[in-house]
C-alpha cells in the first residue's frame, strides 16, 4: 500500500530498541563508557547516510523476516552481544510497543508525533556526540520535509499498511499488562473515554446511553524539529525499576497465523535486498575479536534466558536468514560505497591495501 | 433494540481497511454470504439462515507477474446487477471480478504501475454497482472506471474513465432506495473529503461536486437523493445530493469512521468506527421542509476492537454484522 511506510517503521522500531537497550545496559550495571559506546555505535549505524538514502526511497515494506534481520544486525553493530532468546524478546517488545502506538494514536497524522517522540529521545541519547547528533538532525529534517505535507488520507494509508504488518501479533508484554493497556489475550485495551480525534468547536453535547465518554480534542502537537509533541505515545516507558518482560506462552489463538507470514518463500532471498545487504555489511565486530565485548541479557537470569529459547513456540520463530554480505559480489559494491561514506565523515582513511572486510572493521574500530 | 447472536469464525482476521465487510443475501437458497479482506487474501463465508451450515473459501489476489511482491487487497464487495451478482476485488495490482460464490474469475483489469515504486501509491478502492449493468471502481489516482457488465459471460467492457477527483477515491455508492425519481444515481468520495454526485450510464455526467474540508471521507451512501458521508473526524454529514445543501452534521464517533450502511426499506443507518462503537441511526425525510433528519436509535460497543466493517444483513435493518481489525470473527446482531 503506502510506499512511504518503511522509514517510519524503521525509525520507531529502532527508537523502541534503544529504549530497551538503554534500560538493560543500566540494569546490568554495564560501565557507563561501554554503555555509551554501544548506544552511540548503534545510533551511528541506524542513521548512516547511505543507508537512510535507501530507506527513504518510496518502496513497499519488507517481509517480517527481512526486517528482523536488519534489526539483528543493528543490535550487534557495537561491542554488545545478545543471544537468540534475548534478541527474540527484544524484537517482540519493540514490535508490540510500536503496534500499540500505531493502534492508539488518535489521528493517523499523530504517527509523525510518535516518530518525533522517538527522534527526540534518540537525540537526547547522543547529545554529547555532535557528529552523531548531526546525522540524526539530518534525518529529522528529511522526515519533516517528506511527511508534513502529506494529507490525512495518506497518513491513514501509512497507518493501515503498518497495521497489516503487525496483524495477528498478540504477544503479551508485562509492562502493558501491569498498566492495564493490554488484556491477557494479547489484545490492546481501547479506551471508550478520553479525547476526540479531531479539533473543533463543541456546539452541543448529546450523550448516548453507554456510548462512551469523550472530552474535546487535544491540541495538535508540534511538527517542528523542536517543540511539544503533546501526545505521550512513543516516549520512553522503561526505567530500571520497570523491567522488560514478555509472556510467550498462551499467546492468543491467532498467533498461529504468524507462521504463515514467516514461512520461507521462494522470493525471500530477493526480499533481503539492498537494505539488508547494507546492514549486513555493517556487522563487523565479532564479540571474540575484542576484549571489550560483553553480553546483555533481556531476562533476569541466564537460566531464564535459556528456558525462553527452548520454550518459544515455533510459530513465533523468525528463522533469521543469515546474510553473508561479504561473500556476495553485489554487496561488495555496496560495502565499498559505505566505506567511501565513512571516510568522507572525516575519519582517517584506512589502509586501502588490506582486504575490504578488514578495512571496514578497522574503520568501525576507529569510530 | 438488538441483541448479539452467535458470531461467525473467520480463518483470517480482518485488516484495517475501509468498508472491510460485504454481505450478500441470497433469499432463494436461504443463505447469506460474508466477505472480509485479510492482507492479500479474501475470506468468503456462506452461512445458512438456520445457523447450522457454514462454508469457507479463500481467494488470493492474482498476480500477473510472480516476480513482484504480493499485492495487498484494498476492498472486496458484491455487486448486484440486473441478472447476476459479481464479487469484485480491488488491489494494488488491479481489479478482479468473480462469480458471486468466488468460484470463477470472469474478469481481470490490471492497473498501470510504474517500474519503480513512486511516492504515490497505486491501487483501486471503492466499488459500486449502478443502473443494473454497470460496475464502477475508484482508483488511487482519483479516476473512476466504469465497466459494462453483460447479463452473462465474461465480455466485460471498460466503457469510460471519470476524472474529477484530485485525490485517491475511498468509497462509492449507488442510490439504494430503488426510487426512479432521483436524478443522481451514484456518489463517490475521496481522501480530501470531496464528494462527486453522478448521473451514471453510457456517458456519466457530473451533477455536483461537494468540496471537503481536508479530512478524508471513508464511507459514503446515497439514499432518496441524500448523500450520507462518514469522515475521519468521526462526523456524519447529510447532504442533498444535487444541490449540496447540508441537512445535518453529527459528531457520531470519537475516532475515524470506517463504514456506513443503509437499510433502504426502513431508513436505518449503520455507522462504525475505530472508537469500537457501532451505532444505528434513523433517517427520515420531513415533507414540510423536504429535508432529511437523523436521530440516534442504538449503539453497541465491540470491546477493544477498532471496527473496520459493518453491514446490515437485510433491507429492513433487522440484523447487522460487524468485524474489526485483528478480529477473527464476524459478530451478528439481530433485532429483539
Amino acid at each position: 500500500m503506502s510506499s512511504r511506510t518503511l522509514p517510519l517503521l524503521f525509525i520507531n522500531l529502532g527508537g523502541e530498541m534503544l529504549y530497551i537497550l538503554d534500560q538493560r545496559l543500566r540494569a546490568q550495571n554495564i560501565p557507563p563508557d561501554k554503555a555509551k559506546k554501544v548506544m552511540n555505535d548503534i545510533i551511528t549505524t541506524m542513521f548512516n547516510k547511505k543507508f537512510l538514502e535507501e530507506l527513504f526511497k518510496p518502496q513497499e515494506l519488507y517481509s517480517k523476516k527481512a526486517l528482523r534481520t536488519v534489526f539483528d544486525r543493528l543490535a550487534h553493530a557495537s561491542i554488545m552481544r545478545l543471544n537468540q532468546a534475548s534478541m527474540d524478546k527484544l524484537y517482540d517488545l519493540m514490535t508490540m510497543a510500536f503496534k500499540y502506538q500505531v493502534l492508539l494514536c488518535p489521528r493517523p497524522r499523530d504517527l509523525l508525533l510518535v516518530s518525533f517522540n522517538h527522534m527526540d529521545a534518540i537525540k537526547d541519547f547522543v547529545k554529547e556526540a555532535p557528529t552523531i547528533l548531526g546525522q540524526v538532525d539530518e534525518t529529522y529534517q528529511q522526515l519533516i520535509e517528506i511527511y508534513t505535507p502529506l494529507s490525512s488520507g495518506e497518513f491513514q494509508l501509512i497507518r493501515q499498511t503498518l497495521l497489516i504488518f503487525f496483524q495477528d501479533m498478540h504477544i503479551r508484554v508485562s509492562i502493558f499488562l501491569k498498566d492495564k493497556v493490554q488484556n491477557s489475550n494479547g489484545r490492546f485495551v481501547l479506551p471508550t473515554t478520553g479525547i476526540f480525534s479531531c479539533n473543533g468547536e463543541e456546539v452541543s453535547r448529546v450523550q448516548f446511553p453507554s456510548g462512551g465518554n469523550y472530552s474535546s480534542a487535544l491540541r495538535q502537537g508540534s511538527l517542528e524539529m523542536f517543540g511539544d509533541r503533546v501526545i505521550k505515545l512513543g516516549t520512553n516507558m522503561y526505567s530500571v525499576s520497570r523491567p522488560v518482560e514478555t509472556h510467550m506462552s498462551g499467546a492468543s489463538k491467532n498467533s498461529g497465523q504468524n507462521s504463515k507470514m514467516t514461512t520461507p518463500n521462494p522470493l525471500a532471498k530477493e526480499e533481503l535486498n539492498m537494505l539488508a545487504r547494507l546492514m549486513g555489511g555493517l556487522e563487523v565486530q565479532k564479540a571474540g575479536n575484542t576484549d571489550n565485548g560483553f553480553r546483555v541479557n533481556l531476562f533476569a537470569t541466564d537460566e531464564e534466558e535459556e528456558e525462553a529459547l527452548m520454550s518459544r513456540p515455533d510459530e513465533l520463530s523468525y528463522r533469521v536468514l543469515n546474510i553473508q554480505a561479504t561473500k556476495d559480489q553485489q554487496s561488495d559494491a555496496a560495502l565499498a560505497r559505505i566505506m567511501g561514506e565513512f571516510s568522507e565523515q572525516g575519519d582517517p582513511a584506512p589502509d586501502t591495501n588490506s582486504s575490504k572486510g578488514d578495512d571496514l572493521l578497522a574503520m568501525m574500530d576507529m569510530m | 433494540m438488538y441483541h448479539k447472536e452467535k458470531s461467525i469464525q473467520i480463518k483470517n482476521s480482518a485488516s484495517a481497511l475501509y468498508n472491510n465487510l460485504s454481505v450478500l443475501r441470497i433469499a432463494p437458497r436461504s443463505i447469506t454470504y460474508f466477505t472480509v479482506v485479510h492482507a492479500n487474501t479474501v475470506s468468503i463465508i456462506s452461512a445458512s439462515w438456520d445457523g447450522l451450515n457454514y462454508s469457507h473459501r479463500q481467494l488470493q489476489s492474482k498476480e500477473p507477474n510472480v516476480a513482484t511482491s504480493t499485492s495487498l487487497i484494498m476492498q472486496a464487495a458484491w455487486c448486484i446487477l440486473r441478472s447476476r451478482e459479481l464479487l469484485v476485488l480491488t488491489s494494488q495490482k488491479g481489479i478482479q471480478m468473480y462469480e458471486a460464490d468466488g468460484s470463477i474469475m470472469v474478469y481481470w483489469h490490471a492497473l498501470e504501475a510504474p517500474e519503480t515504486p513512486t511516492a504515490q501509491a497505486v491501487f483501486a478502492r471503492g466499488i459500486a454497482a449502478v443502473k443494473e449493468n454497470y460496475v464502477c471502481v475508484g482508483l488511487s489516482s482519483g479516476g473512476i472506471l466504469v465497466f459494462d457488465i453483460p447479463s452473462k459471460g465474461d465480455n466485460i467492457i471498460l466503457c469510460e474513465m471519470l476524472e474529477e477527483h484530485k485525490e485517491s477515491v475511498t468509497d462509492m455508492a449507488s442510490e439504494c432506495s430503488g426510487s426512479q425519481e432521483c436524478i443522481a444515481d451514484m456518489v463517490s468520495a475521496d481522501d480530501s473529503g470531496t464528494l462527486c454526485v453522478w448521473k451514471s450510464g453510457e456517458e456519466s455526467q457530473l451533477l455536483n461536486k461537494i468540496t471537503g474540508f481536508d479530512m478524508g471521507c471513508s464511507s459514503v451512501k446515497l439514499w432518496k437523493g441524500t448523500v450520507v458521508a462518514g469522515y475521519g473526524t468521526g462526523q456524519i454529514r447529510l447532504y442533498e445530493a444535487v444541490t449540496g445543501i447540508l441537512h445535518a452534521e453529527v459528531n457520531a464517533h470519537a475516532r475515524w469512521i470506517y463504514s456506513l450502511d443503509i437499510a433502504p426499506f426502513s431508513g436505518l443507518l449503520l455507522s462504525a468506527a475505530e472508537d469500537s462503537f457501532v451505532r444505528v441511526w434513523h433517517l427520515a425525510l420531513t415533507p414540510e421542509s423536504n429535508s432529511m433528519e437523523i436521530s440516534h436509535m442504538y449503539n453497541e460497543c465491540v470491546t477493544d476492537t477498532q471496527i473496520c466493517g459493518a453491514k446490515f444483513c437485510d433491507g429492513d435493518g433487522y440484523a447487522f454484522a460487524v468485524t474489526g481489525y485483528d478480529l477473527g470473527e464476524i459478530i451478528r446482531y439481530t433485532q429483539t
Side-chain angles (χ1 to χ4, degrees), chain A residues 1 3 99 159 163 168, chain B residues 13 92 118 274 304 325-326:
Chain A
M1 297 209 289
S3 55
K99 178 177 182 175
R159 185 170 170 275
L163 287 175
D168 300 324
Chain B
S13 64
Q92 293 180 292
T118 53
E274 284 187 346
D304 300 336
Y325 171 64
D326 254 355

Side-chain angles (χ1 to χ4, degrees), chain B residues 45-158:
Chain B
I45 304 101
S46 81
S48 64
W49 290 356
D50 55 18
L52 297 176
N53 291 305
Y54 297 97
S55 75
H56 298 258
R57 188 194 285 267
Q58 310 283 324
L59 293 181
Q60 299 273 337
S61 61
K62 282 280 186 303
E63 297 288 324
N65 176 7
V66 277
T68 54
S69 64
T70 340
S71 111
L72 296 170
I73 297 171
M74 301 298 291
Q75 198 185 353
W78 275 288
C79 289
I80 302 168
L81 302 155
R82 182 177 44 213
S83 53
R84 67 197 295 187
E85 288 106 22
L86 289 178
L87 174 62
V88 179
L89 266 55
T90 63
S91 70
Q92 293 180 292
K93 295 285 171 353
I95 301 156
Q96 291 166 257
M97 296 188 197
Y98 287 85
E99 295 295 353
D101 60 0
S103 58
I104 304 160
M105 186 166 87
V106 291
Y107 185 72
W108 158 254
H109 175 89
L111 294 179
E112 281 173 41
E115 285 281 307
T116 51
T118 53
Q120 170 72 45
V122 176
F123 56 82
R125 178 176 65 190
I127 302 163
V130 223
K131 273 215 177 144
E132 302 190 327
N133 63 319
Y134 295 101
V135 167
C136 299
V137 178
L139 302 175
S140 54
S141 63
I144 294 169
L145 301 176
V146 183
F147 297 95
D148 189 351
I149 314 288
S151 53
K152 58 182 172 192
D154 55 8
N155 189 26
I156 292 168
I157 296 157
L158 172 62

Side-chain angles (χ1 to χ4, degrees), chain B residues 26 53 56 59 62 83 85 89 177 179 184 213 224 235 257 261 269 274 278-279 288 303 305 334:
Chain B
I26 302 181
N53 291 305
H56 298 258
L59 293 181
K62 282 280 186 303
S83 53
E85 288 106 22
L89 266 55
S177 68
S179 161
F213 43 103
K224 291 190 175 173
Q235 290 170 312
I257 292 178
D261 196 26
L269 168 71
E274 284 187 346
V278 53
R279 303 192 195 276
E288 310 88 70
T303 310
T305 303
T334 309

Side-chain angles (χ1 to χ4, degrees), chain A residues 1 3-4 60 99 103 156 159-160 163 167-168 183 187-190 196-197 209 211 214 257 260, chain B residues 11-16 18 38 74 92 118-119 253-254 256 258 274 277 279 296 299 304 306 325-326:
Chain A
M1 297 209 289
S3 55
R4 287 291 190 207
E60 293 292 321
K99 178 177 182 175
L103 201 68
Q156 182 62 289
R159 185 170 170 275
Q160 291 171 342
L163 287 175
Q167 199 161 349
D168 300 324
N183 290 319
R187 294 186 70 87
F188 290 115
V189 174
L190 299 182
F196 263 109
S197 67
Y214 296 89
Q257 286 162 6
K260 185 185 61 208
Chain B
K11 293 222 165 72
N12 294 308
S13 64
S15 291
Y18 303 147
H38 168 97
M74 301 298 291
Q92 293 180 292
T118 53
H253 291 273
W256 202 291
Y258 261 57
E274 284 187 346
F277 281 95
R279 303 192 195 276
H296 182 259
N299 70 68
D304 300 336
Q306 297 198 341
Y325 171 64
D326 254 355

Side-chain angles (χ1 to χ4, degrees), chain A residues 141-155:
Chain A
Q141 213 63 57
Q142 227 169 335
L143 281 174
I144 292 171
E145 264 166 47
I146 293 174
Y147 289 97
T148 49
L150 297 189
S151 70
S152 63
E154 283 171 294
F155 269 109

Side-chain angles (χ1 to χ4, degrees), chain B:
Chain B
M1 188 176 171
Y2 289 88
H3 69 270
K4 197 172 163 180
E5 294 257 356
K6 199 177 132 215
S7 59
I8 302 169
Q9 301 300 312
I10 42 178
K11 293 222 165 72
N12 294 308
S13 64
S15 291
L17 299 166
Y18 303 147
N19 307 298
N20 190 4
L21 176 66
S22 186
V23 175
L24 177 69
R25 187 181 146 95
I26 302 181
R29 288 165 58 201
S30 302
I31 57 166
T32 302
Y33 281 120
F34 299 88
T35 178
V36 174
V37 177
H38 168 97
N40 62 335
T41 60
V42 175
S43 303
I44 304 170
I45 304 101
S46 81
S48 64
W49 290 356
D50 55 18
L52 297 176
N53 291 305
Y54 297 97
S55 75
H56 298 258
R57 188 194 285 267
Q58 310 283 324
L59 293 181
Q60 299 273 337
S61 61
K62 282 280 186 303
E63 297 288 324
N65 176 7
V66 277
T68 54
S69 64
T70 340
S71 111
L72 296 170
I73 297 171
M74 301 298 291
Q75 198 185 353
W78 275 288
C79 289
I80 302 168
L81 302 155
R82 182 177 44 213
S83 53
R84 67 197 295 187
E85 288 106 22
L86 289 178
L87 174 62
V88 179
L89 266 55
T90 63
S91 70
Q92 293 180 292
K93 295 285 171 353
I95 301 156
Q96 291 166 257
M97 296 188 197
Y98 287 85
E99 295 295 353
D101 60 0
S103 58
I104 304 160
M105 186 166 87
V106 291
Y107 185 72
W108 158 254
H109 175 89
L111 294 179
E112 281 173 41
E115 285 281 307
T116 51
T118 53
Q120 170 72 45
V122 176
F123 56 82
R125 178 176 65 190
I127 302 163
V130 223
K131 273 215 177 144
E132 302 190 327
N133 63 319
Y134 295 101
V135 167
C136 299
V137 178
L139 302 175
S140 54
S141 63
I144 294 169
L145 301 176
V146 183
F147 297 95
D148 189 351
I149 314 288
S151 53
K152 58 182 172 192
D154 55 8
N155 189 26
I156 292 168
I157 296 157
L158 172 62
C159 47
E160 63 177 330
M161 164 116 157
L162 312 174
E163 287 174 285
E164 284 294 337
H165 287 285
K166 300 280 180 287
E167 292 205 35
S168 302
V169 173
T170 48
D171 192 26
M172 315 200 21
S174 56
E175 171 63 48
C176 62
S177 68
S179 161
Q180 300 299 310
E181 291 163 26
C182 300
I183 312 155
D185 56 17
M186 183 173 83
V187 60
S188 52
D190 72 22
D191 265 344
S192 70
T194 299
L195 306 170
C196 287
V197 177
W198 307 87
K199 182 175 167 48
S200 62
E202 197 71 34
E203 277 179 38
S204 301
Q205 196 187 332
L206 179 75
L207 298 178
N208 191 17
K209 196 186 248 185
I210 303 166
T211 43
F213 43 103
D214 272 339
M215 180 46 92
C217 169
S218 36
S219 196
V220 72
K221 286 284 172 275
L222 184 58
W223 185 69
K224 291 190 175 173
T226 299
V227 174
V228 185
Y231 296 87
T233 53
Q235 290 170 312
I236 297 173
R237 291 175 165 209
L238 308 186
Y239 291 100
E240 188 172 283
V242 183
T243 61
I245 293 169
L246 180 66
H247 283 321
E249 181 184 86
V250 188
N251 291 329
H253 291 273
R255 298 278 178 96
W256 202 291
I257 292 178
Y258 261 57
S259 188
L260 294 179
D261 196 26
I262 285 181
F265 305 143
S266 60
L268 291 179
L269 168 71
L270 190 68
S271 68
E274 284 187 346
D275 65 359
S276 76
F277 281 95
V278 53
R279 303 192 195 276
V280 180
W281 314 79
H282 185 246
L283 302 179
L285 201 60
T286 45
E288 310 88 70
S289 58
N290 197 33
S291 68
M292 195 65 83
E293 289 185 357
I294 179 168
S295 53
H296 182 259
M297 302 291 286
Y298 177 80
N299 70 68
E300 188 74 45
C301 177
V302 185
T303 310
D304 300 336
T305 303
Q306 297 198 341
I307 301 172
C308 58
K311 278 274 183 299
F312 283 121
C313 300
D314 55 279
D316 293 304
Y318 175 72
F320 65 86
V322 174
T323 192
Y325 171 64
D326 254 355
L327 200 66
E329 57 183 336
I330 297 169
I331 306 168
R332 286 184 294 178
Y333 297 87
T334 309
Q335 272 184 25
T336 38

